[in-house]
Amino acid sequence: MRSVEEQQARVAAAAVAPRPVRVAIAESQGLMCAEEVVTERPMPGFDQAAIDGYAVRSVDVLSVGDGAGEISLPVMGSIEAGARTPSRLQPRQAARVQTGAPMPTLADAVLPLRWTDGGENRVRIMRSVRSGAYVRRTGDDVQPGDVAVRAGTIIGPAQVGLLAAVGRDRVLVHPRPRLSVMCVGGELVDVSRNPGTGQVYDVNSYALAAAGRDAGAEVNRVGIISTDPGELRETVEGQVNRNEIVVIAGAVGGAAAESVRTVLAELGEMEVARIAMHPGSVQGFGQLGRDRVPVFLLPANPVSALVVFEVMVRPLIRLSLGKRQPMRRVVQARTLSPISSVAGRTGYLRGQLMRDQDTGEYLVQALGGAPGASTHLLATLAEANCLVVVPSDVDEVRTGETVDVAFLAQRG
């Protein structure tokens, strides 16, 4: 039986980021930048007022507060943000300016409105101001030749804003990996139909597609596919040729799974193995097609399938996105109830994580790992906000003991 860490290493070795593409900056958020974005012009591109007030020569108001009391200056006009006509300030004059307005020639400072009486034709000044105060100089933020966004940076709101500020409407990024999700099983029907005797709804293709989107992939939910060898090969081969990752649920147990694996073996390397984890011990992984695309075979049980996806598939998606930390954040929490696990296997058990408001300590309530409880209840997984990770050498965790807990995506 292979350890979880060994299987994760095999999967991680298959991670390949899609080829970079150029996208509009509005579509780049969350993606990794694939180029050095070098600025071509300074930002700001001109001296501008940093606040509303009066543009002045600092030397003209230097005497205020030095025993000369208040002074007043004539106001030569008003300059709005976006003004394109150059203006010039004469000695011992002021100009009313808006935030972002271009500074008039000779002015080297802005007097805040609160330091004046706000006069329109003549302004009374109560305080002096130093040269350069409340002025954004040309190139204060970025100089030509500066790198605005570096290759390898995950583009967030600040990077999108900076790209816009330096005049870039498109940027080269590593795109989201394309993930295809499909299911096999003669008992499955789509949720749009009423299941007959012996039939169940296709839960996995919907749940796993949602998990893929949550991880950051561009998802194609194929749904239920035929197990006829010819049709199956055509479907899988088509998905392998147009996606970076393929997931097939229901292909690791029973006669149908055997036929699926026989067909997949014709397309490349595929191994079904027992991994020292629960739920989802039996799972498959291989690389198919001319591009050796990672393909996962997941259990038919929805809880097991989601747990295997979380532990094996999600980290691969995150690596393909260029994330430096592909794994979920893990904290230590004190248990509020006993937890039963399977000896010799790492347990990934559902739980509700909370925090003590007084001490800040993390607490966890097991949902699916109480002694005698089933690990295959989808309803409790929907209530979980974390997975309790129980080491393989532990089969019982007592109330009050400390365990590792992996955060799941926050709801709401």
Side-chain angles (χ1 to χ4, degrees):
M1 189 178 292
R2 186 177 299 144
S3 72
V4 172
E5 292 75 17
E6 288 173 332
Q7 184 72 355
Q8 286 177 326
R10 290 167 67 94
V11 171
V16 177
R19 291 179 179 177
V21 296
R22 197 167 295 280
V23 301
I25 61 172
E27 300 171 2
S28 67
Q29 187 171 352
L31 302 177
M32 185 170 68
C33 186
E35 64 172 323
E36 299 278 295
V37 179
V38 178
T39 59
E40 298 178 356
R41 55 180 64 90
M43 186 181 78
F46 54 91
D47 292 353
Q48 59 182 239
I51 59 171
D52 289 356
Y54 293 87
V56 296
R57 298 193 318 157
S58 58
V59 67
D60 290 337
V61 298
L62 203 59
S63 61
V64 179
D66 290 340
E70 299 175 357
I71 66 170
S72 64
L73 296 176
V75 179
M76 52 82 69
S78 179
I79 306 173
E80 299 179 349
R84 303 181 65 180
T85 303
S87 56
R88 181 182 179 87
L89 197 68
Q90 298 299 324
R92 299 195 59 78
Q93 279 187 341
R96 183 73 177 259
V97 290
Q98 292 181 353
T99 303
M103 292 288 289
T105 304
L106 296 186
D108 64 344
V110 175
L111 277 163
L113 283 175
R114 64 181 182 276
W115 294 356
T116 72
D117 66 349
E120 295 184 3
N121 298 318
R122 195 169 188 88
V123 59
R124 193 167 71 249
I125 299 165
M126 292 81 162
R127 289 181 57 176
S128 62
V129 66
R130 60 179 175 78
S131 179
Y134 304 107
V135 176
R136 295 184 64 211
R137 295 293 188 189
T138 302
D140 269 355
D141 284 349
V142 177
Q143 292 284 350
D146 286 350
V147 177
V149 180
R150 296 192 178 279
T153 300
I154 302 301
I155 298 176
Q159 286 74 30
V160 172
L162 189 53
L163 288 167
V166 300
R168 289 291 295 269
D169 62 340
R170 302 182 73 81
V171 62
L172 194 68
V173 298
H174 294 287
R176 303 182 190 281
R178 294 166 296 182
L179 168 70
S180 176
V181 177
M182 60 193 90
C183 299
V184 295
E187 78 282 11
L188 299 177
V189 295
D190 192 72
V191 294
S192 61
R193 296 174 52 194
N194 291 323
T197 303
Q199 293 183 315
V200 296
Y201 286 125
D202 165 26
V203 173
N204 278 326
S205 73
Y206 288 95
L208 297 172
R213 283 188 287 269
D214 179 73
E218 179 184 319
V219 179
N220 173 33
R221 189 191 69 83
V222 179
I224 305 166
I225 61 173
S226 171
T227 54
D228 173 79
E231 293 182 25
L232 177 64
R233 177 179 176 129
E234 183 180 356
T235 301
V236 174
E237 195 167 21
Q239 296 303 314
V240 165
N241 287 338
R242 66 175 66 99
N243 293 278
E244 280 77 41
I245 304 170
V246 173
V247 170
I248 307 174
V252 292
E258 287 289 343
S259 63
V260 169
R261 295 200 294 273
T262 299
V263 171
L264 297 184
E266 300 173 4
L267 301 176
E269 301 173 3
M270 176 57 65
E271 176 196 52
V272 174
R274 282 193 174 274
I275 309 302
M277 62 178 285
H278 78 97
S281 173
V282 182
Q283 54 188 267
F285 176 71
Q287 293 176 269
L288 305 184
R290 62 179 182 273
D291 294 327
R292 294 179 53 79
V293 172
V295 177
F296 294 86
L297 305 182
L298 273 52
N301 178 271
V303 171
S304 299
L306 280 169
V307 170
V308 175
F309 190 100
E310 175 69 29
V311 177
M312 298 296 173
V313 186
R314 190 179 194 277
L316 181 64
I317 294 172
R318 306 298 284 172
L319 285 171
S320 297
L321 282 166
K323 303 293 184 181
R324 295 181 179 88
Q325 298 293 335
M327 310 304 290
R328 297 276 195 184
R329 180 188 173 198
V330 174
V331 299
Q332 289 195 318
R334 183 165 53 85
T335 59
L336 297 177
S337 61
I339 299 174
S340 178
S341 189
V342 178
R345 302 183 189 178
T346 303
Y348 295 91
L349 308 173
R350 305 175 294 286
Q352 285 186 335
L353 186 67
M354 57 203 83
R355 200 164 194 177
D356 189 298
Q357 291 185 348
D358 296 326
T359 65
E361 180 185 22
Y362 284 108
L363 308 171
V364 65
Q365 174 66 56
L367 297 176
S374 171
T375 59
H376 301 292
L377 299 178
L378 188 61
T380 55
L381 185 63
E383 292 299 315
N385 65 0
C386 69
L387 288 178
V388 181
V389 184
V390 182
S392 58
D393 59 351
V394 175
D395 58 3
E396 295 287 342
V397 180
R398 294 189 295 271
T399 301
E401 291 187 337
T402 299
V403 292
D404 285 343
V405 175
F407 281 106
L408 298 180
Q410 297 298 310
R411 298 191 299 272

